[in-house]
Amino acid sequence: QLQLVESGGGLVQPGGSLRLSCVASRWTLETYAIGWFRQAPGKEREGVSCASVSDGVTYWADSVKGRFTISRDNAKNTVYLQMTSLKPEDTAVYYCAANPRRTCLSQNPAEYHYWGQGTHVTVSS
């Protein structure tokens, strides 16, 4: 069974940057679409971005377009989310998740079978 572990979260000032990592173990990431989701306190889980098996990328959240970049390194079994120009509204727990359907057509969390434990991102001065 695929296991995912996120890292890279932390406290950053507005305008700062962070790079989140999602490392897979026990199976290869190559056959999964990998999505990044986030959940802010008191809010529903939101799809942020996704990298498909064919290296296509999708940014579901309009608010992150131009600021976040998703990438995958299959050799390292890792997907990254580079976040720049961070804003207080980016504060959330960020999760990566794997979809065996291989594409990013859906951001329905129910279609993502494997989830990491999440990493906290706090953007505050």
Side-chain angles (χ1 to χ4, degrees):
Q1 178 170 321
L2 186 67
Q3 289 190 337
L4 303 174
V5 177
E6 303 96 335
S7 63
L11 172 64
V12 63
Q13 293 187 343
S17 299
L18 285 174
R19 188 177 78 159
L20 306 184
S21 298
C22 172
V23 180
S25 61
R26 298 193 176 185
W27 203 253
T28 177
L29 279 181
E30 290 184 6
T31 58
Y32 294 88
I34 303 298
W36 281 98
F37 296 78
R38 65 185 180 185
Q39 188 164 18
K43 294 189 177 180
E44 292 187 354
R45 191 165 296 190
E46 173 190 31
V48 176
S49 183
C50 179
S52 71
V53 169
S54 61
D55 287 335
V57 297
T58 301
Y59 297 94
W60 292 315
D62 289 339
S63 63
V64 308
K65 292 178 180 178
R67 299 189 299 122
F68 290 12
T69 303
I70 190 171
S71 61
R72 63 192 301 160
D73 186 338
N74 288 335
K76 295 183 178 179
N77 229 18
T78 302
V79 174
Y80 303 99
L81 186 67
Q82 178 70 48
M83 307 187 297
T84 62
S85 302
L86 283 162
K87 305 175 180 180
E89 50 264 43
D90 295 318
T91 295
V93 179
Y94 284 72
Y95 302 88
C96 64
N99 184 344
R101 291 192 176 188
R102 307 161 70 92
T103 71
C104 298
L105 295 177
S106 173
Q107 57 178 301
N108 181 354
E111 296 191 20
Y112 289 75
H113 293 188
Y114 304 102
W115 290 78
Q117 82 290 348
T119 185
H120 289 256
V121 172
T122 302
V123 185
S124 175
S125 55

